[in-house]
C-alpha cells in the first residue's frame, strides 16, 4: 500500500467516498489530483490534504463534458507528469421514483454522470497509462450493479453498465500493463444513502435506515474509510494479478440475499 512517488486522480472528490479516498492516497504517499464539479468542496478537500503535509491539486470539472475531462487529465500531467492510479468515482443517485413516473431529464443526468462520466474518464486516462505501460483504474459501481432495487431503476441500470465497462475494457488493456476493476459498495454512511432515506419516507427517514441496516449482517452501514481501503488495495501492487473484477463491500448484504425492495422500505 505504498504510493510514494505515484500520482492518483480521484473524481467526485469533494465529499464522501471520493474525499476519504483522496485523503487515504495522500496518507500513503501519493500526490493526488482531486476532481469535482463542486469547486468550493474540492478546494477544501485538497486544502485539508495540504494542511496535513500532503501534495494535492484540485480541478473543477464536469465529468460528462469531454473538454473538462481532458482538462483534469492535462492538469495532472502538467503538474505531476503521470497518472498511476485513477479512481473513476463521480456519481449521483437520482430520485426514488417508479420508472413509469421518472423524469426524463433526471434519467439523462443519472446516465450521463454515472455512465458517460466513467466512459470519458477511461477514454482520456487510458492513453496516458498505456503510454506509460502501467496503471490501475478503479470504477465505482454498486451492489445496485449486481441486483435490482425497485424505485431507483436508472441508478441500478447505470451501475450495471459500469460493471460491463469494467469487464470489457479490462480485457483490452491487460497485456499493456493496465488493470481495471470495480468496487460495489452497499449502503455507505454518506449523504447519498441519507438522501434516499429521506425520499422514501420524509416523515420518518430513520425508520428506513433501520430497515436497511436490519438487512445487513454486520448491522450497520459501511464507512467511507472502509471503501477507501478497498480502492487503495485494488490500486496497489498487492493487487497485481487482479483485473476485470468487481469487489463487493456491503457488510454481507448481497451474500445473504438481504436486498430490501423499495416497497418493503415504505412499509
Amino acid at each position: 500500500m505504498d504510493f510514494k512517488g505515484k500520482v492518483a486522480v480521484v473524481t467526485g472528490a469533494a465529499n464522501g467516498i471520493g474525499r476519504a479516498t483522496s485523503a487515504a492516497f495522500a496518507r500513503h504517499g501519493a500526490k493526488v489530483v482531486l476532481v469535482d464539479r463542486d469547486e468550493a468542496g474540492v478546494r477544501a478537500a485538497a486544502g485539508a490534504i495540504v494542511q496535513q503535509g500532503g501534495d494535492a491539486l484540485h480541478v473543477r470539472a464536469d465529468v460528462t463534458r469531454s473538454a473538462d475531462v481532458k482538462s483534469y487529465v492535462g492538469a495532472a500531467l502538467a503538474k505531476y507528469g503521470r497518472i498511476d492510479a485513477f479512481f473513476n468515482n463521480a456519481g449521483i443517485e437520482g430520485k426514488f421514483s417508479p420508472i413509469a413516473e421518472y423524469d426524463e431529464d433526471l434519467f439523462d443526468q443519472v446516465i450521463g454522470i454515472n455512465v458517460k462520466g466513467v466512459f470519458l474518464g477511461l477514454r482520456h486516462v487510458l492513453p496516458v497509462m498505456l503510454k506509460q505501460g502501467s496503471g490501475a483504474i478503479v470504477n465505482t459501481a454498486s451492489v445496485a450493479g449486481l441486483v435490482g432495487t425497485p424505485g431507483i431503476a436508472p441508478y441500478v441500470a447505470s451501475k450495471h453498465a459500469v460493471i460491463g465497462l469494467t469487464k470489457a475494457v479490462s480485457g483490452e488493456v491487460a497485456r499493456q500493463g493496465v488493470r481495471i476493476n470495480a468496487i460495489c459498495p452497499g449502503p455507505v454512511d454518506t449523504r447519498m444513502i441519507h438522501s434516499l432515506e429521506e425520499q422514501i419516507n420524509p416523515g420518518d427517514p430513520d425508520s428506513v435506515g433501520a430497515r436497511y441496516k436490519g438487512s445487513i449482517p454486520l448491522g450497520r452501514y459501511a464507512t467511507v474509510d472502509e471503501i477507501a481501503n478497498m480502492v487503495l488495495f485494488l490500486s496497489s501492487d498487492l493487487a497485481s494479478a487482479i483485473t476485470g473484477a468487481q469487489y463487493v463491500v456491503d457488510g454481507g448484504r448481497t451474500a445473504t440475499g438481504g436486498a430490501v425492495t423499495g416497497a418493503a422500505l415504505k412499509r
Side-chain angles (χ1 to χ4, degrees):
M1 300 283 273
D2 182 4
F3 291 91
K4 291 183 180 67
K6 294 187 176 182
V7 179
V9 175
V10 179
T11 65
N15 297 287
I17 293 170
R19 181 166 183 162
T21 304
S22 299
F25 271 124
R27 285 196 302 273
H28 287 268
K31 300 170 183 177
V32 188
V33 180
L34 294 84
V35 180
D36 205 290
R37 65 183 179 182
D38 175 1
E39 186 168 6
V42 75
R43 183 188 299 113
I49 289 173
V50 173
Q51 287 179 349
Q52 295 296 316
D55 192 343
L57 168 70
H58 74 273
V59 181
R60 191 270 171 198
D62 179 342
V63 299
T64 69
R65 301 174 68 89
S66 189
D68 283 18
V69 177
K70 288 181 181 178
S71 177
Y72 74 66
V73 171
L77 295 178
K79 183 159 186 180
Y80 299 123
R82 59 186 296 112
I83 300 173
D84 299 288
F86 176 41
F87 184 29
N88 205 4
N89 168 67
I92 61 171
E93 73 276 14
K95 183 180 180 182
F96 185 87
S97 170
I99 200 69
E101 302 170 10
Y102 210 90
D103 180 79
E104 184 177 349
D105 289 340
L106 183 56
F107 177 90
D108 288 343
Q109 187 178 7
V110 171
I111 298 301
I113 294 174
N114 294 3
V115 183
K116 186 179 180 181
V118 169
F119 156 70
L120 287 175
L122 293 169
R123 173 64 184 83
H124 294 296
V125 171
L126 273 174
V128 176
M129 291 184 169
L130 292 172
K131 184 177 180 179
Q132 294 169 178
S134 64
I137 296 174
V138 178
N139 298 322
T140 297
S142 168
V143 292
L146 303 172
V147 297
T149 300
I152 54 170
Y155 180 79
V156 170
S158 73
K159 294 306 182 178
H160 275 72
V162 170
I163 291 175
L165 280 169
T166 300
K167 288 180 175 294
V169 181
S170 66
E172 296 176 1
V173 299
R175 295 201 177 188
Q176 294 161 279
V178 180
R179 298 183 298 102
I180 307 176
N181 293 290
I183 57 165
C184 296
V188 182
D189 191 9
T190 63
R191 179 212 59 80
M192 184 178 287
I193 190 62
H194 298 306
S195 170
L196 288 172
E197 291 170 352
E198 181 69 29
Q199 291 183 56
I200 291 166
N201 189 345
D204 189 10
D206 288 345
S207 68
V208 179
R211 289 188 181 95
Y212 263 130
K213 292 171 187 174
S215 73
I216 300 170
L218 286 183
R220 62 174 178 83
Y221 292 153
T223 69
V224 290
D225 291 329
E226 288 170 327
I227 307 303
N229 288 340
M230 178 59 75
V231 177
L232 263 67
F233 165 69
L234 291 172
S235 302
S236 77
D237 292 339
L238 295 174
S240 57
I242 301 173
T243 195
Q246 69 270 354
Y247 276 73
V248 178
V249 189
D250 71 345
R253 183 168 176 240
T254 52
T256 58
V260 179
T261 68
L265 288 169
K266 281 188 169 181
R267 287 201 293 267

mmCIF file of all heavy atoms in Angstrom, residues 215-253:
data_model
loop_
_atom_site.group_PDB
_atom_site.id
_atom_site.type_symbol
_atom_site.label_atom_id
_atom_site.label_comp_id
_atom_site.label_asym_id
_atom_site.label_seq_id
_atom_site.Cartn_x
_atom_site.Cartn_y
_atom_site.Cartn_z
ATOM 1 N N SER A 215 -31.111 -5.345 7.232
ATOM 2 C CA SER A 215 -30.882 -6.307 6.155
ATOM 3 C C SER A 215 -29.401 -6.615 5.952
ATOM 4 O O SER A 215 -29.046 -7.444 5.114
ATOM 5 C CB SER A 215 -31.459 -5.768 4.839
ATOM 6 O OG SER A 215 -30.665 -4.705 4.327
ATOM 7 N N ILE A 216 -28.539 -5.960 6.714
ATOM 8 C CA ILE A 216 -27.091 -6.116 6.580
ATOM 9 C C ILE A 216 -26.570 -6.987 7.720
ATOM 10 O O ILE A 216 -26.770 -6.656 8.896
ATOM 11 C CB ILE A 216 -26.388 -4.739 6.615
ATOM 12 C CG1 ILE A 216 -26.896 -3.851 5.463
ATOM 13 C CG2 ILE A 216 -24.872 -4.898 6.547
ATOM 14 C CD1 ILE A 216 -26.438 -2.404 5.558
ATOM 15 N N PRO A 217 -25.919 -8.109 7.426
ATOM 16 C CA PRO A 217 -25.418 -8.968 8.501
ATOM 17 C C PRO A 217 -24.567 -8.240 9.541
ATOM 18 O O PRO A 217 -24.653 -8.553 10.733
ATOM 19 C CB PRO A 217 -24.622 -10.037 7.757
ATOM 20 C CG PRO A 217 -25.354 -10.176 6.464
ATOM 21 C CD PRO A 217 -25.764 -8.772 6.105
ATOM 22 N N LEU A 218 -23.750 -7.282 9.106
ATOM 23 C CA LEU A 218 -22.947 -6.526 10.081
ATOM 24 C C LEU A 218 -23.796 -5.582 10.915
ATOM 25 O O LEU A 218 -23.334 -5.061 11.937
ATOM 26 C CB LEU A 218 -21.844 -5.734 9.376
ATOM 27 C CG LEU A 218 -20.648 -6.526 8.853
ATOM 28 C CD1 LEU A 218 -19.607 -5.575 8.258
ATOM 29 C CD2 LEU A 218 -20.002 -7.364 9.952
ATOM 30 N N GLY A 219 -25.016 -5.290 10.468
ATOM 31 C CA GLY A 219 -25.929 -4.459 11.245
ATOM 32 C C GLY A 219 -25.678 -2.973 11.160
ATOM 33 O O GLY A 219 -26.198 -2.199 11.974
ATOM 34 N N ARG A 220 -24.911 -2.543 10.151
ATOM 35 C CA ARG A 220 -24.586 -1.115 10.037
ATOM 36 C C ARG A 220 -24.203 -0.794 8.608
ATOM 37 O O ARG A 220 -23.934 -1.691 7.801
ATOM 38 C CB ARG A 220 -23.417 -0.751 10.958
ATOM 39 C CG ARG A 220 -22.112 -1.480 10.622
ATOM 40 C CD ARG A 220 -20.950 -0.999 11.450
ATOM 41 N NE ARG A 220 -19.716 -1.726 11.171
ATOM 42 C CZ ARG A 220 -18.878 -1.463 10.171
ATOM 43 N NH1 ARG A 220 -19.154 -0.480 9.309
ATOM 44 N NH2 ARG A 220 -17.774 -2.166 10.000
ATOM 45 N N TYR A 221 -24.171 0.512 8.301
ATOM 46 C CA TYR A 221 -23.647 0.958 7.016
ATOM 47 C C TYR A 221 -22.124 0.879 7.028
ATOM 48 O O TYR A 221 -21.487 0.987 8.093
ATOM 49 C CB TYR A 221 -24.042 2.410 6.753
ATOM 50 C CG TYR A 221 -25.511 2.654 6.528
ATOM 51 C CD1 TYR A 221 -26.079 3.890 6.823
ATOM 52 C CD2 TYR A 221 -26.348 1.675 5.998
ATOM 53 C CE1 TYR A 221 -27.430 4.150 6.604
ATOM 54 C CE2 TYR A 221 -27.688 1.913 5.771
ATOM 55 C CZ TYR A 221 -28.226 3.153 6.080
ATOM 56 O OH TYR A 221 -29.554 3.393 5.856
ATOM 57 N N ALA A 222 -21.536 0.717 5.864
ATOM 58 C CA ALA A 222 -20.082 0.815 5.740
ATOM 59 C C ALA A 222 -19.655 2.261 5.942
ATOM 60 O O ALA A 222 -20.454 3.201 5.780
ATOM 61 C CB ALA A 222 -19.637 0.332 4.369
ATOM 62 N N THR A 223 -18.406 2.458 6.306
ATOM 63 C CA THR A 223 -17.857 3.804 6.418
ATOM 64 C C THR A 223 -17.091 4.149 5.144
ATOM 65 O O THR A 223 -16.673 3.261 4.389
ATOM 66 C CB THR A 223 -16.901 3.935 7.614
ATOM 67 O OG1 THR A 223 -15.710 3.159 7.341
ATOM 68 C CG2 THR A 223 -17.551 3.436 8.900
ATOM 69 N N VAL A 224 -16.903 5.441 4.924
ATOM 70 C CA VAL A 224 -16.153 5.860 3.734
ATOM 71 C C VAL A 224 -14.716 5.353 3.784
ATOM 72 O O VAL A 224 -14.120 5.031 2.739
ATOM 73 C CB VAL A 224 -16.175 7.397 3.574
ATOM 74 C CG1 VAL A 224 -17.559 7.864 3.200
ATOM 75 C CG2 VAL A 224 -15.673 8.115 4.825
ATOM 76 N N ASP A 225 -14.151 5.242 4.967
ATOM 77 C CA ASP A 225 -12.774 4.753 5.074
ATOM 78 C C ASP A 225 -12.674 3.273 4.704
ATOM 79 O O ASP A 225 -11.663 2.832 4.134
ATOM 80 C CB ASP A 225 -12.235 4.979 6.491
ATOM 81 C CG ASP A 225 -12.016 6.449 6.801
ATOM 82 O OD1 ASP A 225 -11.701 7.208 5.869
ATOM 83 O OD2 ASP A 225 -12.178 6.841 7.966
ATOM 84 N N GLU A 226 -13.711 2.514 4.990
ATOM 85 C CA GLU A 226 -13.697 1.096 4.608
ATOM 86 C C GLU A 226 -13.741 0.942 3.081
ATOM 87 O O GLU A 226 -13.094 0.047 2.528
ATOM 88 C CB GLU A 226 -14.878 0.375 5.262
ATOM 89 C CG GLU A 226 -14.687 0.191 6.763
ATOM 90 C CD GLU A 226 -15.920 -0.309 7.483
ATOM 91 O OE1 GLU A 226 -17.043 0.042 7.069
ATOM 92 O OE2 GLU A 226 -15.757 -1.045 8.477
ATOM 93 N N ILE A 227 -14.473 1.814 2.415
ATOM 94 C CA ILE A 227 -14.487 1.771 0.954
ATOM 95 C C ILE A 227 -13.136 2.224 0.406
ATOM 96 O O ILE A 227 -12.590 1.624 -0.526
ATOM 97 C CB ILE A 227 -15.613 2.652 0.389
ATOM 98 C CG1 ILE A 227 -16.965 2.289 1.025
ATOM 99 C CG2 ILE A 227 -15.675 2.507 -1.132
ATOM 100 C CD1 ILE A 227 -17.371 0.856 0.875
ATOM 101 N N ALA A 228 -12.578 3.268 0.999
ATOM 102 C CA ALA A 228 -11.270 3.761 0.567
ATOM 103 C C ALA A 228 -10.203 2.675 0.680
ATOM 104 O O ALA A 228 -9.322 2.558 -0.196
ATOM 105 C CB ALA A 228 -10.869 4.985 1.391
ATOM 106 N N ASN A 229 -10.267 1.869 1.725
ATOM 107 C CA ASN A 229 -9.289 0.791 1.892
ATOM 108 C C ASN A 229 -9.312 -0.174 0.710
ATOM 109 O O ASN A 229 -8.261 -0.630 0.246
ATOM 110 C CB ASN A 229 -9.567 0.017 3.186
ATOM 111 C CG ASN A 229 -9.211 0.809 4.428
ATOM 112 O OD1 ASN A 229 -8.443 1.770 4.370
ATOM 113 N ND2 ASN A 229 -9.784 0.417 5.563
ATOM 114 N N MET A 230 -10.513 -0.495 0.222
ATOM 115 C CA MET A 230 -10.616 -1.396 -0.918
ATOM 116 C C MET A 230 -10.066 -0.752 -2.187
ATOM 117 O O MET A 230 -9.390 -1.397 -2.994
ATOM 118 C CB MET A 230 -12.068 -1.829 -1.129
ATOM 119 C CG MET A 230 -12.264 -2.747 -2.330
ATOM 120 S SD MET A 230 -11.304 -4.283 -2.244
ATOM 121 C CE MET A 230 -12.269 -5.197 -1.031
ATOM 122 N N VAL A 231 -10.357 0.533 -2.372
ATOM 123 C CA VAL A 231 -9.842 1.238 -3.551
ATOM 124 C C VAL A 231 -8.319 1.237 -3.546
ATOM 125 O O VAL A 231 -7.675 0.963 -4.573
ATOM 126 C CB VAL A 231 -10.375 2.683 -3.616
ATOM 127 C CG1 VAL A 231 -9.768 3.431 -4.805
ATOM 128 C CG2 VAL A 231 -11.894 2.696 -3.711
ATOM 129 N N LEU A 232 -7.720 1.534 -2.396
ATOM 130 C CA LEU A 232 -6.264 1.559 -2.331
ATOM 131 C C LEU A 232 -5.670 0.182 -2.556
ATOM 132 O O LEU A 232 -4.646 0.048 -3.248
ATOM 133 C CB LEU A 232 -5.790 2.130 -0.991
ATOM 134 C CG LEU A 232 -5.432 3.621 -1.042
ATOM 135 C CD1 LEU A 232 -6.656 4.480 -1.291
ATOM 136 C CD2 LEU A 232 -4.718 4.067 0.224
ATOM 137 N N PHE A 233 -6.288 -0.847 -2.016
ATOM 138 C CA PHE A 233 -5.795 -2.201 -2.261
ATOM 139 C C PHE A 233 -5.789 -2.510 -3.755
ATOM 140 O O PHE A 233 -4.781 -2.971 -4.315
ATOM 141 C CB PHE A 233 -6.650 -3.226 -1.522
ATOM 142 C CG PHE A 233 -6.443 -4.639 -1.995
ATOM 143 C CD1 PHE A 233 -5.249 -5.298 -1.759
ATOM 144 C CD2 PHE A 233 -7.434 -5.297 -2.708
ATOM 145 C CE1 PHE A 233 -5.040 -6.596 -2.222
ATOM 146 C CE2 PHE A 233 -7.237 -6.593 -3.174
ATOM 147 C CZ PHE A 233 -6.044 -7.248 -2.935
ATOM 148 N N LEU A 234 -6.910 -2.255 -4.438
ATOM 149 C CA LEU A 234 -7.006 -2.568 -5.866
ATOM 150 C C LEU A 234 -6.081 -1.703 -6.709
ATOM 151 O O LEU A 234 -5.695 -2.095 -7.814
ATOM 152 C CB LEU A 234 -8.456 -2.407 -6.341
ATOM 153 C CG LEU A 234 -9.441 -3.446 -5.800
ATOM 154 C CD1 LEU A 234 -10.865 -3.077 -6.186
ATOM 155 C CD2 LEU A 234 -9.092 -4.845 -6.304
ATOM 156 N N SER A 235 -5.711 -0.531 -6.196
ATOM 157 C CA SER A 235 -4.802 0.365 -6.911
ATOM 158 C C SER A 235 -3.339 0.042 -6.650
ATOM 159 O O SER A 235 -2.455 0.584 -7.320
ATOM 160 C CB SER A 235 -5.069 1.818 -6.497
ATOM 161 O OG SER A 235 -6.409 2.190 -6.755
ATOM 162 N N SER A 236 -3.092 -0.810 -5.679
ATOM 163 C CA SER A 236 -1.720 -1.072 -5.242
ATOM 164 C C SER A 236 -1.121 -2.285 -5.915
ATOM 165 O O SER A 236 -1.815 -3.086 -6.554
ATOM 166 C CB SER A 236 -1.696 -1.278 -3.717
ATOM 167 O OG SER A 236 -2.183 -2.586 -3.387
ATOM 168 N N ASP A 237 0.183 -2.464 -5.716
ATOM 169 C CA ASP A 237 0.878 -3.630 -6.250
ATOM 170 C C ASP A 237 0.444 -4.925 -5.573
ATOM 171 O O ASP A 237 0.705 -6.015 -6.096
ATOM 172 C CB ASP A 237 2.389 -3.454 -6.098
ATOM 173 C CG ASP A 237 2.932 -2.341 -6.994
ATOM 174 O OD1 ASP A 237 2.245 -1.991 -7.983
ATOM 175 O OD2 ASP A 237 4.028 -1.815 -6.706
ATOM 176 N N LEU A 238 -0.237 -4.827 -4.431
ATOM 177 C CA LEU A 238 -0.758 -6.017 -3.768
ATOM 178 C C LEU A 238 -1.814 -6.709 -4.623
ATOM 179 O O LEU A 238 -2.057 -7.911 -4.477
ATOM 180 C CB LEU A 238 -1.359 -5.649 -2.404
ATOM 181 C CG LEU A 238 -0.389 -5.118 -1.348
ATOM 182 C CD1 LEU A 238 -1.153 -4.651 -0.117
ATOM 183 C CD2 LEU A 238 0.632 -6.187 -0.966
ATOM 184 N N ALA A 239 -2.432 -5.953 -5.524
ATOM 185 C CA ALA A 239 -3.487 -6.499 -6.386
ATOM 186 C C ALA A 239 -2.986 -6.696 -7.821
ATOM 187 O O ALA A 239 -3.753 -6.603 -8.773
ATOM 188 C CB ALA A 239 -4.687 -5.564 -6.368
ATOM 189 N N SER A 240 -1.712 -6.987 -7.970
ATOM 190 C CA SER A 240 -1.087 -7.005 -9.298
ATOM 191 C C SER A 240 -1.653 -8.049 -10.247
ATOM 192 O O SER A 240 -1.482 -7.943 -11.458
ATOM 193 C CB SER A 240 0.431 -7.206 -9.151
ATOM 194 O OG SER A 240 0.706 -8.397 -8.435
ATOM 195 N N ALA A 241 -2.331 -9.085 -9.727
ATOM 196 C CA ALA A 241 -2.912 -10.115 -10.602
ATOM 197 C C ALA A 241 -4.431 -9.977 -10.716
ATOM 198 O O ALA A 241 -5.094 -10.881 -11.222
ATOM 199 C CB ALA A 241 -2.559 -11.507 -10.092
ATOM 200 N N ILE A 242 -4.973 -8.845 -10.269
ATOM 201 C CA ILE A 242 -6.429 -8.672 -10.256
ATOM 202 C C ILE A 242 -6.838 -7.641 -11.292
ATOM 203 O O ILE A 242 -6.414 -6.484 -11.232
ATOM 204 C CB ILE A 242 -6.917 -8.228 -8.865
ATOM 205 C CG1 ILE A 242 -6.534 -9.265 -7.800
ATOM 206 C CG2 ILE A 242 -8.424 -8.007 -8.880
ATOM 207 C CD1 ILE A 242 -6.828 -8.817 -6.377
ATOM 208 N N THR A 243 -7.662 -8.068 -12.248
ATOM 209 C CA THR A 243 -8.230 -7.131 -13.214
ATOM 210 C C THR A 243 -9.538 -7.700 -13.746
ATOM 211 O O THR A 243 -9.750 -8.918 -13.759
ATOM 212 C CB THR A 243 -7.256 -6.826 -14.369
ATOM 213 O OG1 THR A 243 -7.709 -5.672 -15.086
ATOM 214 C CG2 THR A 243 -7.099 -8.001 -15.327
ATOM 215 N N GLY A 244 -10.446 -6.797 -14.144
ATOM 216 C CA GLY A 244 -11.739 -7.210 -14.666
ATOM 217 C C GLY A 244 -12.695 -7.730 -13.622
ATOM 218 O O GLY A 244 -13.676 -8.394 -13.950
ATOM 219 N N ALA A 245 -12.442 -7.414 -12.359
ATOM 220 C CA ALA A 245 -13.248 -7.955 -11.267
ATOM 221 C C ALA A 245 -14.099 -6.872 -10.618
ATOM 222 O O ALA A 245 -13.820 -5.678 -10.761
ATOM 223 C CB ALA A 245 -12.337 -8.603 -10.219
ATOM 224 N N GLN A 246 -15.123 -7.311 -9.884
ATOM 225 C CA GLN A 246 -15.888 -6.380 -9.059
ATOM 226 C C GLN A 246 -15.861 -6.861 -7.621
ATOM 227 O O GLN A 246 -16.084 -8.039 -7.362
ATOM 228 C CB GLN A 246 -17.327 -6.218 -9.563
ATOM 229 C CG GLN A 246 -18.247 -7.403 -9.405
ATOM 230 C CD GLN A 246 -18.216 -8.322 -10.613
ATOM 231 O OE1 GLN A 246 -17.593 -8.039 -11.621
ATOM 232 N NE2 GLN A 246 -18.920 -9.443 -10.508
ATOM 233 N N TYR A 247 -15.552 -5.960 -6.726
ATOM 234 C CA TYR A 247 -15.392 -6.300 -5.320
ATOM 235 C C TYR A 247 -16.516 -5.671 -4.507
ATOM 236 O O TYR A 247 -16.693 -4.462 -4.504
ATOM 237 C CB TYR A 247 -14.025 -5.829 -4.804
ATOM 238 C CG TYR A 247 -12.930 -6.818 -5.106
ATOM 239 C CD1 TYR A 247 -12.451 -6.970 -6.398
ATOM 240 C CD2 TYR A 247 -12.412 -7.639 -4.114
ATOM 241 C CE1 TYR A 247 -11.480 -7.904 -6.703
ATOM 242 C CE2 TYR A 247 -11.436 -8.583 -4.398
ATOM 243 C CZ TYR A 247 -10.977 -8.706 -5.689
ATOM 244 O OH TYR A 247 -10.006 -9.638 -5.978
ATOM 245 N N VAL A 248 -17.267 -6.529 -3.821
ATOM 246 C CA VAL A 248 -18.407 -6.092 -3.026
ATOM 247 C C VAL A 248 -17.949 -5.709 -1.628
ATOM 248 O O VAL A 248 -17.220 -6.456 -0.969
ATOM 249 C CB VAL A 248 -19.467 -7.210 -2.951
ATOM 250 C CG1 VAL A 248 -20.634 -6.781 -2.077
ATOM 251 C CG2 VAL A 248 -19.949 -7.569 -4.344
ATOM 252 N N VAL A 249 -18.380 -4.533 -1.178
ATOM 253 C CA VAL A 249 -18.096 -4.067 0.188
ATOM 254 C C VAL A 249 -19.437 -3.650 0.776
ATOM 255 O O VAL A 249 -19.829 -2.479 0.732
ATOM 256 C CB VAL A 249 -17.110 -2.881 0.198
ATOM 257 C CG1 VAL A 249 -16.670 -2.574 1.632
ATOM 258 C CG2 VAL A 249 -15.890 -3.161 -0.671
ATOM 259 N N ASP A 250 -20.175 -4.626 1.327
ATOM 260 C CA ASP A 250 -21.554 -4.337 1.728
ATOM 261 C C ASP A 250 -21.963 -4.977 3.048
ATOM 262 O O ASP A 250 -23.147 -5.100 3.342
ATOM 263 C CB ASP A 250 -22.520 -4.768 0.626
ATOM 264 C CG ASP A 250 -22.639 -6.286 0.500
ATOM 265 O OD1 ASP A 250 -21.781 -7.012 1.054
ATOM 266 O OD2 ASP A 250 -23.600 -6.750 -0.151
ATOM 267 N N GLY A 251 -20.972 -5.411 3.829
ATOM 268 C CA GLY A 251 -21.301 -5.999 5.122
ATOM 269 C C GLY A 251 -22.033 -7.323 5.033
ATOM 270 O O GLY A 251 -22.663 -7.758 6.001
ATOM 271 N N GLY A 252 -21.970 -7.978 3.864
ATOM 272 C CA GLY A 252 -22.606 -9.279 3.698
ATOM 273 C C GLY A 252 -24.030 -9.217 3.177
ATOM 274 O O GLY A 252 -24.693 -10.255 3.061
ATOM 275 N N ARG A 253 -24.509 -8.039 2.801
ATOM 276 C CA ARG A 253 -25.920 -7.883 2.435
ATOM 277 C C ARG A 253 -26.314 -8.706 1.213
ATOM 278 O O ARG A 253 -27.317 -9.420 1.221
ATOM 279 C CB ARG A 253 -26.205 -6.399 2.186
ATOM 280 C CG ARG A 253 -27.657 -6.074 1.874
ATOM 281 C CD ARG A 253 -27.865 -4.570 1.932
ATOM 282 N NE ARG A 253 -29.218 -4.235 1.536
ATOM 283 C CZ ARG A 253 -29.527 -3.449 0.509
ATOM 284 N NH1 ARG A 253 -28.574 -2.955 -0.236
ATOM 285 N NH2 ARG A 253 -30.778 -3.164 0.227
#
